[in-house]
Amino acid sequence: MDVRFRGIAELVEAPSAAVVVDVMRAFTVAAWAFARGAERIVLAGSLDEALALKARHPDWVALKDGPPAAGFDIVNSPGLLRSVDLGGRTVVQKTTAGTVGALAVKDAPLVLCAGFVVAEATARLLRTRGCGSVTFVITGEDGRADEDLACAQYIAQIAAGAGADASEFLSRAGESRAAAELAQGVREGAHPDDVALCLELDRFPFAMVAALEDSLMVLRPCAVPSLTGEASI
């Protein structure tokens, strides 16, 4: 498998397969949203777009980074989201880095969004799709976020069939700038459990696939065949 790691600004053309990584917290939150019953997540390009979608679809749930704000229902925190009932709902998500990264590769034939909570399922989907070339999009800190790079490197290793000790990668993520800022309360709209929830390896057995649907970039959970051919979800 030919693997590349790129920041959002380094993407010059649509890759054949992209894994967009945002550990803290966009795609940990997305996985929790699906676990709480969300049917799909619409990835918005701006706060204004998210609010416009919410205005057109009042039953949708609008989610953003930072503190609560008018027009938005919830914030980008797995600790706060884990008790919310999203059964059958559409979530509109706009974050600083994760949603931006996914929209940057919207023309790629395969776009996966990932964090540690869906690492194994993501790697398994890459294997089952026979992806020969994969670009990992490191969304945080202009492509320098070590929690995202660590997660991407871990997924890349297990997707290639190589053994990997997850503890090394999780340790790097836990010592990252993002983890420190969340733990210290620097980032608004956070819960004390957010870092721990972002570092839960393989909490969920599904991968997350984003694709264009009627001009919107829509993220959905994806059941992934196991090595024996049985579905896992």
Side-chain angles (χ1 to χ4, degrees), residues 67-231:
F72 288 89
D73 303 288
I74 48 180
V75 295
N76 191 48
S77 161
L80 295 172
L81 188 68
R82 62 185 167 177
S83 61
V84 178
D85 181 5
L86 295 172
R89 306 288 292 278
T90 292
V91 173
V92 180
Q93 185 182 35
K94 169 65 179 83
T95 69
T96 306
T99 58
V100 176
L103 289 167
V105 291
K106 64 182 181 181
D107 294 323
L110 176 65
V111 179
L112 307 182
C113 295
F116 282 109
V117 292
V118 293
E120 168 59 32
T122 302
R124 199 169 346 121
L125 185 55
L126 291 173
R127 292 200 302 269
T128 59
R129 294 289 181 93
C131 297
S133 176
V134 180
T135 296
F136 287 85
V137 182
I138 311 304
T139 60
E141 299 179 33
D142 297 323
R144 298 186 300 273
D146 201 38
E147 74 279 4
D148 294 340
L149 181 59
C151 182
Q153 291 171 336
Y154 176 70
I155 294 172
Q157 286 196 27
I158 57 177
D165 180 2
S167 62
E168 170 195 344
F169 299 94
L170 290 168
S171 178
R172 282 172 50 196
E175 295 170 359
S176 67
R177 174 181 173 182
E181 290 180 350
L182 285 170
Q184 295 164 9
V186 173
R187 299 191 180 189
E188 296 183 278
H191 185 280
D193 293 342
D194 278 357
V195 173
L197 292 172
C198 290
L199 299 180
E200 283 191 317
L201 185 67
D202 301 326
R203 171 72 187 245
F204 305 112
F206 51 80
M208 299 186 293
V209 179
L212 288 170
E213 299 181 15
D214 297 326
S215 79
L216 296 175
M217 192 64 165
V218 176
L219 187 64
R220 295 182 183 273
C222 178
V224 184
S226 70
L227 295 180
T228 60
E230 299 175 349

